[in-house]
Amino acid sequence: MQKNCWLLLIFLLLPHIAIAQTGNCEPAFAEAYLDAGNVRARILNNGSLFWRGSPHVYEVPKGENTHAIFTAGIWVGGLVNGSLRTAASRYGPWEFWAGPLDEKGYPPTDCKPYDHIWEIRTEDIQTFLKDNSISNNLKNWPWQLGAPVVDGDGNPDNYNLENGDLPELIGDQRLWWVMNDRGNIHEATDSDPIGIEVHGSAFSYANAGALGNVTFYEYSIINKNTVEVEDTYVGLFTDVDLGDFDDDYIGSDSLLHLSFAYNADNNDEEERNGYGIAPPAVGFTFLETIEAPHDGIDNNRNGVIDEPGEKIGTYAVKSYNSSGSGDGDGDPVTARDYYRTMQGIWKDGLPQVEWGTGREGVPESKITRFLFSGDPVTRSFWSELNWNGAGGTIDPADRRMVTSTGPFTIASSDTATIRFAIIWSRGKDHLDSITELRKDTRAVRSSTKTLYTPLGQVNFEQAQIPPPNFVLGFDQNFPNPFTHSTTLRYSLPQPMQVRLAVYDMLGREVALLVEAQQEAGIYTAAFDAGNLPAGIYLARIELDFLQFTKRMALIR
């Protein structure tokens, strides 16, 4: 009788207990290629990126058969009812499976129907807006699974192209997929599943120059437990292999929320699939993460404490050696090893410290979460080119690192969205490439909001006589995307000084359309792109002390 009472109590409490069940899903095998810009990247839907077995593909410049990254992937770890759970892998077995979780948090009985990566490109939308031609990408956009849609008909619960709905395109090519961590057992970390559904996305711009060398990513992590996931960290694992895999160095820049890899000397051996003379650098930066609490800490490291909307940013940059499971600085094996790595701690619990390799340090070493945080270009402070403060260098080799953000809590049914970018830059030599990487990172970070603004439906009405008391307006250009010329419309509620100009994504002015004192009314301005290269441009209007910006897509 007593046993039956306990069983009844457990049954009644089941809705309030975090689910730990796993399914019987096969590994996810879908893949697609992100290639709108100057990068060709192999995208996977199993938590990994670029490699699931030969070949590894993060080719940049595209078409030259030289690759900057061997593999990458997301790690997630947090506490569910006080129990540590992780979903993280490096080279397989991977711990994410295709498909969503249902309303009770259970995985699909069969994940194969969801084993797909969906795609949308600028030309899909451009052709549709031009002649109403519906491509397969438009027709098959998986809005029912949560793929984002720009609502054009006022009904957020449908997807109706004829009435104005469109896939939410960011960049010139966007890939989207859905996965979960309950599809099967976690062999890599030997952990119970966290209970998360993840909407993954990768996109790029078809611009020439620096922006074309960047790929962007977004992971929306949905907590499908009935309890919150506390002290959550998200990590980006990377095995870099910058051309020749065996001569790399790594570093970090905490102010730019940046981890990076660069060549140890100015010649990356071409006979070993290297970049040759003046090799590039590649960096990883969290652009937008979770809003930080009011904790008296400058979490985004911009000099302002507890500012409105402050985000956590990059929490730690940590490396480890492929030296076996028994070493404190070796490969992670258990869930605790993965979690500590994301916390910037060695897997045996020792803190990461400045100087040396970050493990042994020197007597005056301080604890740090950012590995090799000095400047290799000037050899100031601590880097692999100055590990001991006296110019000593560390032997280059194959490097692996984890860049993490956190900690934060994901409430039941809530979503945590993480955005990051991978930036490839090449300078006059291997160290100047780091300088260029930092410059490009600043440009990307300062334009994050614009870069993640979706290209949606365009509604444009011919200019009319303004009604009384009309308000200030700045409409999206039409058409958008455009091939040669486009028109902008704005309205003034009173006489104002107006300056309307067009800029490229690096902030350089390419056209001045209006600069005059104008009376109240509705105005239009035409922009002729001339010989400008295809890509994204910004139309910015300055009205007295007000400024507004619109993103425009030029297609050739």
Side-chain angles (χ1 to χ4, degrees):
M1 182 67 179
Q2 186 177 19
K3 178 180 178 181
N4 290 337
C5 289
W6 276 109
L7 290 174
L8 177 62
L9 178 62
I10 291 173
F11 176 78
L12 292 174
L13 288 175
L14 276 176
H16 305 285
I17 298 175
I19 303 168
Q21 285 90 342
T22 58
N24 295 297
C25 290
E26 297 294 323
F29 285 103
E31 63 180 59
Y33 284 86
L34 189 68
D35 58 5
N38 198 35
V39 180
R40 182 172 182 264
R42 185 186 185 197
I43 304 298
L44 309 168
N45 67 336
N46 60 3
S48 184
L49 294 167
F50 319 140
W51 182 85
R52 187 193 49 228
S54 184
H56 67 283
V57 181
Y58 195 86
E59 182 189 36
V60 53
K62 183 173 62 181
E64 295 190 6
N65 198 32
T66 307
H67 302 263
I69 304 170
F70 180 76
T71 190
I74 64 163
W75 296 1
V76 184
L79 303 180
V80 180
N81 280 335
S83 172
L84 175 61
R85 301 185 185 179
T86 53
S89 52
R90 298 172 297 124
Y91 307 99
W94 294 275
E95 296 187 338
F96 288 95
W97 292 265
L101 299 176
D102 66 17
E103 66 278 2
K104 295 183 179 180
Y106 293 107
T109 55
D110 182 8
C111 289
K112 288 182 181 179
Y114 307 100
D115 192 9
H116 190 83
I117 295 177
W118 290 267
E119 178 184 31
I120 190 71
R121 290 179 180 261
T122 302
E123 47 263 40
D124 295 312
I125 294 178
Q126 180 191 18
T127 303
F128 175 69
L129 294 176
K130 182 179 179 181
D131 58 19
N132 209 37
S133 175
I134 300 176
S135 67
N136 286 332
N137 287 344
L138 281 172
K139 181 172 63 176
N140 298 325
W141 190 245
W143 67 277
Q144 305 96 327
L145 298 178
V149 172
V150 175
D151 182 20
D153 63 0
N155 181 359
D157 298 321
N158 73 346
Y159 176 59
N160 191 321
L161 290 167
E162 285 72 16
N163 286 349
D165 293 340
L166 284 174
E168 186 185 86
L169 173 62
I170 304 178
D172 290 295
Q173 178 196 13
R174 183 176 191 175
L175 303 176
W176 189 92
W177 62 98
V178 58
M179 56 189 182
N180 70 85
D181 85 317
R182 280 200 177 126
N184 215 312
I185 61 172
H186 290 207
E187 293 184 52
T189 64
D190 192 25
S191 164
D192 282 338
I194 305 169
I196 53 176
E197 176 182 317
V198 180
H199 296 178
S201 185
F203 68 92
S204 61
Y205 285 89
N207 289 53
L211 187 58
N213 296 330
V214 184
T215 55
F216 298 86
Y217 306 84
E218 177 178 288
Y219 288 97
S220 293
I221 304 167
I222 306 169
N223 177 14
K224 289 296 185 81
N225 293 289
T226 56
V227 298
E228 60 190 15
V229 182
E230 300 178 285
D231 292 330
T232 306
Y233 292 87
V234 175
L236 172 63
F237 161 73
T238 50
D239 182 343
V240 182
D241 290 10
L242 186 59
D244 177 11
F245 77 96
D246 207 26
D247 61 351
D248 294 340
Y249 279 156
I250 57 175
S252 67
D253 187 324
S254 62
L255 294 180
L256 286 176
H257 300 260
L258 176 70
S259 60
F260 58 90
Y262 58 105
N263 208 70
D265 57 35
N266 201 38
N267 183 17
D268 190 38
E269 288 75 8
E270 293 183 84
E271 62 271 17
R272 300 185 64 181
N273 299 314
Y275 279 97
I277 302 299
V282 64
F284 313 87
T285 181
F286 283 106
L287 297 173
E288 286 192 356
T289 58
I290 305 305
E291 189 164 318
H294 285 263
D295 53 8
I297 299 173
D298 180 16
N299 290 280
N300 61 4
R301 292 180 287 280
N302 68 348
V304 182
I305 295 175
D306 289 342
E307 64 193 289
E310 180 181 31
K311 301 298 179 68
I312 292 174
T314 298
Y315 180 82
V317 177
K318 181 76 176 60
S319 181
Y320 63 86
N321 297 318
S322 55
S323 57
S325 61
D327 300 318
D329 61 350
D331 295 308
V333 176
T334 67
R336 187 184 65 176
D337 295 345
Y338 285 87
Y339 193 69
R340 281 179 170 173
T341 302
M342 289 187 284
Q343 291 177 305
I345 300 171
W346 297 100
K347 71 176 191 176
D348 57 5
L350 291 177
Q352 182 171 249
V353 294
E354 295 171 350
W355 302 110
T357 62
R359 184 169 171 84
E360 70 282 358
V362 294
E364 61 272 19
S365 289
K366 297 179 181 179
I367 294 175
T368 181
R369 297 197 305 267
F370 288 86
L371 184 70
F372 299 128
S373 54
D375 185 0
V377 179
T378 61
R379 287 178 169 77
S380 59
F381 194 54
W382 175 44
S383 72
E384 295 209 64
L385 290 173
N386 185 27
W387 69 273
N388 59 358
T393 60
I394 296 175
D395 290 338
D398 187 9
R399 293 288 189 256
R400 300 163 187 184
M401 61 182 172
V402 176
T403 310
S404 62
T405 185
F408 53 87
T409 294
I410 314 177
S412 175
S413 300
D414 271 5
T415 300
T417 298
I418 307 296
R419 292 170 167 174
F420 64 89
I422 300 177
I423 304 169
W424 182 97
S425 305
R426 195 167 196 170
K428 296 185 292 292
D429 57 48
H430 68 125
L431 297 182
D432 187 55
S433 292
I434 300 173
T435 301
E436 290 297 307
L437 174 65
R438 286 173 169 150
K439 182 181 72 174
D440 294 340
T441 301
R442 291 186 187 96
V444 168
R445 293 188 63 82
S446 65
S447 303
T448 296
K449 185 175 181 179
T450 300
L451 291 168
Y452 276 84
T453 299
L455 177 64
Q457 182 199 11
V458 177
N459 289 316
F460 183 84
E461 299 176 356
Q462 295 297 321
Q464 302 174 356
I465 298 174
N469 302 318
F470 76 97
V471 296
L472 177 71
F474 183 36
D475 293 343
Q476 184 68 55
N477 62 300
F478 179 84
N480 190 39
F482 65 102
T483 55
H484 298 287
S485 62
T486 188
T487 301
L488 291 141
R489 187 180 76 156
Y490 59 96
S491 57
L492 306 178
Q494 63 189 40
M496 304 181 82
Q497 179 67 31
V498 177
R499 190 178 197 277
L500 176 59
V502 178
Y503 300 83
D504 66 15
M505 293 302 291
L506 295 180
R508 297 173 295 201
E509 184 176 304
V510 298
L512 177 61
L513 306 182
V514 179
E515 189 168 32
Q517 178 73 23
Q518 294 183 324
E519 298 298 317
I522 294 178
Y523 297 86
T524 59
F527 169 53
D528 188 336
N531 295 322
L532 289 172
I536 300 300
Y537 292 87
L538 306 177
R540 186 169 69 200
I541 191 168
E542 301 174 17
L543 306 165
D544 289 344
F545 299 105
L546 302 174
Q547 293 186 6
F548 301 91
T549 302
K550 296 291 184 183
R551 187 167 70 92
M552 309 186 298
L554 172 61
I555 306 299
R556 296 298 194 186

